[in-house]
Each structure stands twice: as structure tokens, then as C-alpha cells.
Amino acid sequence: MQRIIIGAFLAMLCLPYSAQAFKLEGHLVQGGMAIGSVHPNATVYFQGKPVRVSPEGLFVIGFSRDAKAESVIELHQPSGTVEKHPVRIKKRSYKIQRIDGLPPRKVSPSAEDLERIRQDRALVKAARQTDDPRTDFTQAFIWPVIGRISGVYGSQRILNGKPKNPHSGVDIAVPTGTLVKAPADGVVSLAHNDMFYSGGTLIVDHGHGLSTVFMHLHKLLVEDGQRVKQGDVIAQVGATGRVTGPHLHWGMNWFDTRLDPSLLVPPMPTAQAAASAQ
Ligand SMILES: [Zn+2]
């Protein structure tokens, strides 16, 4: 018996590197993002779809607001071996947020508005399908603006008394004109001055389907296709679209899956610390 165990142990040690390389680190929680590492020639499937693997063997996946407790990553090793790695995703509880005083038209849009909303959504969806080989998503993200958090990810929203979709990002209440910084390197994949709900809207693509979105902007300071570095000024905060006052809505997506960007940054510094840092 002992010999069999030792034999199995030796066999494991002798396996090619590829068979041992699977690693997954990050926020294994609803709204979270995780970065995996595998053999560069391995194929990774998550939720039945192949996921891009970088030449260094890196990949990224994200978990929706209501992701199931258990998911599986299927790994096809270059040797032909298929491995199934379970991913346990922690459940979160979400707040209910009531916002009153929104312009009625922004809560119950007209037929004409609905057509515009449809067009806006198609542009955003297309930008979010970008699957670029850059791996900017491996950077440590920074807050795009510093200020009071006035809305959090996942909240069930009741707008002017009507239940609506959950909140898909973080709101930071700062005055109009506050400069928005790129939270990580990336390429602008959408720059739109006036969307119905989100007003001035920017999407920055950080590679492998991971993107961040900035909404309600007063002014966009970058163009579609422009390369940005972490900390570059990309826009000014505003109060455009469906809002009651100036703030930045910061969202993050893995393709169509909405993630919580606040998981990737340090706790928001206090206003005092922010003032002395500027
Ligand atoms: Zn928001």
C-alpha cells in the first residue's frame, strides 16, 4: 500500500509542468474578478465558452451579481488531459436604494427615447465584446476619483417609486469638473457625449474582455481608440443622463458580466487624505 502511495507521489512529481500549473487568484465572490494562470498552450473554458489565454498563460474571468455558489473551469491541457477545477463563489447580500426626484422621462421613457436607448445599448454591448490580447487587467487598479461613495454595486434600485435594474457600479459624489483618472492602462473602446441614461460615457478596455465604464461625464478628454496609461486624465465628472446631481458612476465588466470595481481598489481614502494628496 505504502509503495503505491509513494509511487503515485513520484508520478505526480514527474508530471509535465503544464499539468500542475493551474492557479486562480482574486475575488471569488459575486461581482468579483479572478486571474488564472495555466500552461500557455492550455485551453480554458468557463461557463461553456473558451477564455483567452495570454502567451504567459494568464486569463481572467468574472462572476455576476447573482452568480451561483459553484462553477467549474474546464482546462484542456496541451497533453490532451481534461481537468475540471471547481470555483466556489461567495454570496453577497445587497442593499435596497431608493432615489426620488429623477426627471419622470428618465424613469418612464417615451417610444422615441426607447429607440435611442436601444441604440445606446448596442454601442455599449459592441464595445464590451472587445477581446484584446493586452493584459492591462493584471495591474493594481486605482480609484478614478476620490470622494464620498454615494451608491454601491448590486443595490436593488427603486427610482421614483418604480423597481428597476440593480445598480451596476460604484457612485462617487464629487463636483462637476472633477478630473477622472484612468484606473489602469487601457484603450478607449467607446467615447459618447450623450447617452440617454448614462450621459457622457467612456469605456476603457483593459484586455481579455475586462473593461471599465465612466458615466454621467461633463466632458470627455480622450477619443475612441486612444491608448491611456494608469493615472492619465480621461474626463471631467458631470451630471449628464439619469442623475439627481453630479457624480461619477464607475462600472466594470467582463464582457457582458457586470462586476464590482470597488473590489479591485484599496478602501476609499478619506476626503482629508485626498486633499493633502493633491
Ligand atoms: Zn451609478
Side-chain angles (χ1 to χ4, degrees):
M1 180 63 188
Q2 206 174 8
R3 194 174 287 182
I4 293 169
I5 292 171
I6 292 168
F9 181 66
L10 285 176
M12 252 171 70
L13 286 181
C14 297
L15 280 174
Y17 174 71
S18 61
Q20 294 175 32
F22 179 83
K23 212 166 76 183
L24 187 70
E25 283 172 342
H27 295 91
L28 304 182
V29 61
Q30 291 177 333
M33 175 262 244
I35 295 176
S37 118
V38 292
H39 187 285
N41 296 330
T43 312
V44 173
Y45 292 87
F46 183 61
Q47 292 166 340
K49 287 188 199 143
V51 175
R52 177 185 287 276
V53 176
S54 80
E56 297 78 33
L58 294 176
F59 68 93
V60 60
I61 53 172
F63 316 113
S64 68
R65 177 188 186 268
D66 303 303
K68 285 185 294 175
E70 188 139 334
S71 223
V72 174
I73 290 176
E74 201 176 289
L75 182 58
H76 293 225
Q77 296 286 11
S79 61
T81 317
V82 176
E83 298 169 17
K84 291 193 181 205
H85 295 274
V87 183
R88 278 173 200 92
I89 300 157
K90 251 195 268 165
K91 199 175 155 65
R92 290 168 72 170
S93 55
Y94 299 105
K95 297 181 180 181
I96 292 178
Q97 188 181 25
R98 287 169 206 277
I99 301 175
D100 296 313
L102 287 162
R105 187 182 151 201
K106 296 281 177 181
V107 179
S108 308
S110 68
E112 211 175 295
D113 293 336
L114 284 172
E115 174 54 24
R116 197 175 139 203
I117 292 164
R118 197 190 59 75
Q119 288 172 16
D120 290 350
R121 286 204 174 130
L123 290 173
V124 168
K125 194 176 167 65
R128 285 179 174 155
Q129 294 318 303
T130 312
D131 187 2
D132 192 278
R134 282 173 296 104
T135 55
D136 299 331
F137 59 84
T138 59
Q139 262 182 333
F141 279 64
I142 59 168
W143 284 102
V145 299
I146 306 293
R148 181 178 64 88
I149 293 174
S150 57
V152 295
Y153 173 89
S155 306
Q156 182 57 58
R157 286 241 161 138
I158 301 168
L159 307 181
N160 290 1
K162 288 194 172 71
K164 293 283 177 177
N165 290 334
H167 189 231
S168 57
V170 186
D171 290 336
I172 308 149
V174 282
T176 293
T178 304
L179 301 178
V180 180
K181 291 177 178 170
D185 294 358
V187 172
V188 178
S189 55
L190 181 125
H192 196 294
N193 280 307
D194 187 23
M195 288 193 158
F196 184 79
Y197 285 129
S198 54
T201 307
L202 264 184
I203 296 181
V204 176
D205 167 41
H206 305 289
H208 288 216
L210 204 283
S211 64
T212 49
V213 64
F214 309 85
M215 298 182 184
H216 313 305
L217 301 168
H218 174 61
K219 212 170 179 184
L220 313 186
L221 303 172
V222 288
E223 290 171 1
D224 199 2
Q226 193 173 326
R227 184 88 171 94
V228 296
K229 301 296 281 176
Q230 183 176 64
D232 283 356
V233 172
I234 54 174
Q236 288 179 7
V237 171
T240 56
R242 185 171 68 185
V243 296
T244 55
H247 72 275
L248 176 69
H249 171 105
W250 183 33
M252 179 175 282
N253 269 65
W254 178 62
F255 299 106
D256 286 331
T257 306
R258 294 175 160 94
L259 310 179
D260 182 356
S262 72
L263 295 173
L264 292 187
V265 284
M268 176 64 87
T270 61
Q272 223 174 2
S276 64
Q278 277 166 5

